[in-house]
Amino acid sequence: MRGLRGKGGSRTMAASGTATAGLVAAALFAAGCSTGGTGVEDEGAAPSEAASRAAPVPSAGDAGHFTESVDAVKLLMADPKVSPRVKADLRPCAKDSYPVDTSYAVLTGNDTPDVIVNVLTCGDAVGMGTYVYRETGKTYENVFSVEEPAVYAAVDRGDLVVTKQVYAKDDPVAEPSGEEVSTYRWSAGKFTREFWVRNEFSRAVGEGEVVASEAPAPSGN
């Protein structure tokens, strides 16, 4: 299915950050061992001390305020805004494994991250519903929901982006005719749609080149 569940990789960035921190630590260690240092004894600081000095200190605005995960299935089943149809179809695909994707991001300007939940089908991973929960005190409030076939929500730089696959009459599940992408922004206590795009997919892509057959030669008299 096009564009629904792309997931970026962070391992490369993590490895690069580790290598950079190692180089900084090594430079500090070498500087400590040289003569004429500024405030470091000649024998130098321990590598762990140098690394800790080089490590950046997280600011209050970083995502470090995330504390714990939410039981998304329990949240959905207790939510009166979730339709009985979605609740009835929300069953484990395997033992204790539910078809639910959960994301955390600050969308509503709250002090704690909001919870974005996508409910999928087990077989084809087609979205059945998408929901956003905002923490209010010790509970979570449903502040956004869409329950339509083939819908999925993601976060893009603080905005909520909802993608809905569009199917023609005879389209297979894996090949929709297009998609509608809506971008929502939190304003005045609710999500308001700011942008809307409709993409129609070409059927010619991946079908191979069409070759015209040769006409039979005319028979002689």
Side-chain angles (χ1 to χ4, degrees), residues 35-59:
T35 59
T38 56
V40 181
E41 295 182 1
D42 288 342
E43 61 269 20
S48 60
E49 293 177 357
S52 64
R53 291 173 186 172
V57 178
S59 65

Side-chain angles (χ1 to χ4, degrees), residues 2 7 13 22 28 32 37 52 58 63 84 91 99 105 113 127 135 141 148 161 171 176 181 184 191 199 209 221:
R2 307 191 190 202
K7 299 182 179 179
M13 294 177 62
L28 290 175
S52 64
R91 298 185 296 267
E135 186 176 5
E141 177 187 3
E148 295 181 10
V161 180
D171 286 347
V181 183
Y184 294 86
F191 281 103
N199 300 314
E209 184 179 358
N221 291 332

Side-chain angles (χ1 to χ4, degrees), residues 7 37 45 50 67 87 121 147 152 156 163 165 170 172 183 191 211 217:
K7 299 182 179 179
T67 55
K87 290 181 179 180
T121 60
E147 293 183 338
Y152 197 89
D156 182 15
T163 302
Q165 302 296 298
D170 297 325
T183 301
F191 281 103
V211 179

Side-chain angles (χ1 to χ4, degrees), residues 120-206:
L120 313 167
T121 60
C122 286
D124 301 312
V126 175
M128 295 192 299
T130 184
Y131 312 87
V132 178
Y133 291 93
R134 186 174 194 264
E135 186 176 5
T136 56
K138 295 183 178 181
T139 62
Y140 283 91
E141 177 187 3
N142 184 333
V143 293
F144 182 89
S145 63
V146 177
E147 293 183 338
E148 295 181 10
V151 64
Y152 197 89
V155 177
D156 182 15
R157 290 171 290 186
D159 290 334
L160 180 68
V161 180
V162 179
T163 302
K164 177 186 175 184
Q165 302 296 298
V166 178
Y167 292 90
K169 182 178 179 181
D170 297 325
D171 286 347
V173 173
E175 298 181 12
S177 293
E179 66 180 9
E180 294 181 355
V181 183
S182 298
T183 301
Y184 294 86
R185 191 165 295 163
W186 184 260
S187 176
K190 64 180 180 180
F191 281 103
T192 302
R193 187 164 70 175
E194 297 288 333
F195 305 102
W196 175 85
V197 177
R198 180 183 176 96
N199 300 314
E200 294 184 351
F201 302 144
S202 171
R203 291 297 186 190
V205 177

